[in-house]
Amino acid sequence: MNHCISRIYSIRAFVATFLLLSAGGSSADPVPGSPTRLVMETSELVLKVIQEETSAPKPNMARLYSLIYDAVLPVLDFDGFAKLSLGSHWRSATPAQRVQFTEEFRGMLIRTYTKYLLDYAGTEVQLAPRQPSSRSPKVQIVQVIITIPGEAPLTVNYWFRLVNGEWKAYNVVIGGFDLVQLFRQKFGAEIDAKGLDAVIEDLATTNREKSDPARKGGS
């Protein structure tokens, strides 16, 4: 139960980071195309979308799904995120299963982001004073501090790597909780219990039921 609560909380904190990073501001002017700049620009874009859509009496969730997908698509390495989250089961999966899992995993992430958008009006997020360094020149870490009213501040690390010459986020560690590891535990247990095809179908069914337009072909 504790693992489940931690996983849900971590995902929600992940959403807050992407949405409201720009609210904290920064005296630095990150290099264009850098991981830090990508996080800031994506956050500003998503925040603008949220402000526009939630000003209506009833937000258009379908439109939000689509707009959020378009906003985070250039930043997240969905393929890498899905592969790492599947862990050892990725190696035994067929090419078709890999494609299907990645598509439904992507839909799940966007649906999760959008579901919790309205929960963070009072959240403040700032870049950490000192950014952690990576041992590899092809990996960079962007660290932010999230302040949620009534709760202790959270430290969030976004892990970026170069994908075809562009920086993409492939993992997030929130308050010590590694999202890739949490997803790997979740999917691993489900696959061991009922198989990968059943897990993919469960994800697909949920995405269809939510009428998630974020389920677009390609990545």
Side-chain angles (χ1 to χ4, degrees), residues 74-91:
V75 179
L76 286 180
D77 178 11
F78 286 107
D79 292 349
F81 212 144
K83 178 179 179 179
L84 292 172
S85 297
L86 208 55
S88 61
H89 292 288
W90 182 268
R91 292 192 294 271

Side-chain angles (χ1 to χ4, degrees), residues 151-184:
E151 300 180 12
L154 278 175
T155 298
V156 180
N157 289 342
Y158 286 95
W159 287 73
F160 281 80
R161 65 183 174 189
L162 285 172
V163 178
N164 297 325
E166 296 182 335
W167 290 104
K168 302 278 188 177
Y170 67 95
N171 192 17
V172 185
V173 178
I174 305 170
F177 292 101
D178 185 312
L179 288 192
V180 161
Q181 291 184 3
L182 291 171
F183 279 129
R184 188 177 297 167

Side-chain angles (χ1 to χ4, degrees), residues 51-132:
Q51 290 174 334
E52 292 176 352
E53 289 301 318
T54 56
S55 62
K58 185 176 181 180
N60 185 331
M61 297 306 292
R63 176 174 166 79
L64 277 176
Y65 281 139
S66 182
L67 291 175
I68 298 305
Y69 175 87
D70 290 339
V72 303
L73 176 62
V75 179
L76 286 180
D77 178 11
F78 286 107
D79 292 349
F81 212 144
K83 178 179 179 179
L84 292 172
S85 297
L86 208 55
S88 61
H89 292 288
W90 182 268
R91 292 192 294 271
S92 59
T94 66
Q97 287 175 322
R98 292 175 180 179
V99 171
Q100 292 166 357
F101 176 81
T102 299
E103 179 180 355
E104 302 306 338
F105 180 81
R106 179 170 56 242
M108 179 203 68
L109 284 180
I110 301 303
R111 180 166 42 80
T112 301
Y113 297 160
T114 309
K115 179 179 179 182
Y116 293 114
L117 291 180
L118 303 180
D119 291 352
Y120 294 94
T123 300
E124 294 182 1
V125 182
Q126 293 182 319
L127 290 171
R130 290 186 177 182
Q131 291 296 304

